[in-house]
């Protein structure tokens, strides 16, 4: 997950170039290349933390080896899952239709007020 990954996909006869950059230093370098015309992308995903959220500041502290192992485990589990998105999960669908009963905003959202 170091640096920048780039790839192209064919979308209805048009080649779309996609870049994924990990870490703000790498994002800065890629922006400079795009601005200079050295690189061109149709879409760029920027992950502020090196390695993305798997290794980000919100995760438990770990060294690079543990971060790599964490990422490998998550990607392995993701490949094995039949349901990839929460909106496709029948349990989540049932939760919203039955238990939450149109109260999801009141029950799941938080408002912060300055005192």
């Amino acid at each position: 997950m170091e640096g920048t990954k780039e790839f192209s996909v064919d979308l209805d006869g048009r080649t779309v170039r996609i870049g994924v950059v990990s870490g703000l230093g790498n994002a800065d370098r890629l922006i400079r290349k795009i601005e200079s015309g050295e690189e061109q992308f149709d879409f760029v995903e920027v992950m502020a933390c090196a390695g993305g959220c798997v290794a980000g500041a919100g995760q438990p502290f770990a060294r690079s080896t543990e971060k790599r192992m964490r990422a490998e485990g998550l990607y392995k589990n993701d490949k094995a899952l039949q349901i990839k998105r929460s909106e496709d999960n029948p349990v989540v669908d049932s939760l919203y239709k039955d238990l939450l009963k149109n109260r999801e905003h009141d029950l799941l959202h938080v408002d912060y007020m300055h005192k």
Side-chain angles (χ1 to χ4, degrees):
M1 294 298 295
E2 304 242 348
T4 303
K5 293 182 179 183
E6 50 189 73
F7 55 97
S8 300
V9 294
D10 182 61
L11 184 64
D12 296 328
R14 178 173 183 242
T15 300
V16 178
R17 291 206 64 225
I18 300 169
V20 179
V21 64
S22 178
L24 292 180
N26 291 321
D28 184 55
R29 285 187 282 282
L30 182 61
I31 289 168
R32 291 175 195 273
K33 287 182 178 181
I34 291 170
E35 289 176 337
S36 73
E38 184 180 341
E39 286 285 1
Q40 186 277 323
F41 292 98
D42 297 291
F43 179 83
V44 176
E45 177 186 17
V46 176
M47 297 182 288
C49 296
C53 294
V54 169
Q59 299 299 319
F61 175 80
R63 291 180 171 70
S64 59
T65 302
E66 288 90 3
K67 289 177 183 180
R68 182 182 46 76
M69 290 172 59
R70 181 186 300 148
E72 288 173 359
L74 287 171
Y75 289 124
K76 180 181 175 183
N77 287 344
D78 185 62
K79 285 181 183 180
L81 293 173
Q82 291 181 352
I83 300 170
K84 303 288 185 185
R85 302 177 340 190
S86 59
E87 63 265 25
D88 294 334
N89 187 326
V91 174
V92 172
D93 188 49
S94 175
L95 174 70
Y96 276 86
K97 287 181 179 175
D98 298 327
L99 185 63
L100 296 175
K101 296 181 185 172
N102 298 318
R103 300 181 306 148
E104 58 267 39
H105 186 79
D106 293 331
L107 296 172
L108 302 177
H109 290 246
V110 176
D111 292 315
Y112 295 96
M113 296 168 45
H114 187 278
K115 292 185 177 189

